[in-house]
Amino acid sequence: MSLVWPARVSSLSESGVALREVLRPFTVARRVTRSWPGTERSSREVVLEYYRPDREVRRALAGAGSPWALVGPDWPEDLAGYRAGRACWFGCVSHEEFAFALLSEEERRAFGRVVGEGLLTSR
C-alpha cells in the first residue's frame, strides 16, 4: 500500500506526524514524484511512500476513520493498494472523495454478483 506525503512535513498536524512515525518501520520504498495512482501533476512534487501491508499499518490507518479523512496538508493522502509486482488495484483521491478499483474480469464478475452488475463499469 502507499500514501502521498507533502514534500514539507512541517505542514503535517501532530496526528499526521504521529501516523508517520507509526508507519516508518513498515516503509519499503519511497520516491519523490509528481504522479501516483489517480493523480498526475505538472508542478509541486510529493513523497510517495510504500508500506508492507501489515496488520499494524491497517490498524493505524483505520484510526483515521476512512480514506476521505486523510486529507493534506495535515495528513498524508491518496491511499492505494497493490498486487504482487506493484500493479495498483485500489486507489483513492482523498480530497475529491473519489476511489477506484482495477479488477480482473473474474474479480469484476464476482463483485458484480455481490453489488449488482449495474453498478460496475469497465473499460
Side-chain angles (χ1 to χ4, degrees):
M1 60 184 56
S2 68
L3 287 169
V4 174
W5 295 86
R8 290 184 5 189
V9 294
S10 61
S11 67
L12 293 172
S13 66
E14 286 183 30
S15 299
V17 170
L19 177 62
R20 191 165 202 177
E21 289 306 310
V22 169
L23 297 178
R24 188 176 309 280
F26 304 98
T27 304
V28 295
R30 70 187 310 253
R31 64 184 173 100
V32 176
T33 185
R34 289 189 175 113
S35 65
W36 56 94
T39 303
E40 285 191 36
R41 288 184 170 171
S42 60
S43 63
R44 210 175 71 184
E45 293 179 322
V46 297
V47 176
L48 181 62
E49 289 191 356
Y50 297 89
Y51 307 96
R52 281 192 322 269
D54 188 271
R55 182 178 313 160
E56 290 300 316
V57 172
R58 291 190 301 271
R59 185 176 296 139
L61 294 174
S66 83
W68 318 133
L70 295 172
V71 178
D74 296 336
W75 292 90
E77 294 187 284
D78 299 356
L79 177 67
Y82 302 85
R83 298 182 190 282
R86 292 225 178 161
C88 180
W89 73 269
F90 169 82
C92 75
V93 182
S94 302
H95 71 279
E96 297 285 347
E97 295 188 4
F98 169 78
F100 58 91
L102 303 171
L103 305 175
S104 69
E105 187 57 31
E106 180 180 329
E107 291 166 330
R108 193 197 68 72
R109 282 193 304 271
F111 190 69
R113 286 189 296 274
V114 173
V115 301
E117 287 292 328
L119 293 177
L120 298 176
T121 60
S122 64
R123 294 181 178 198

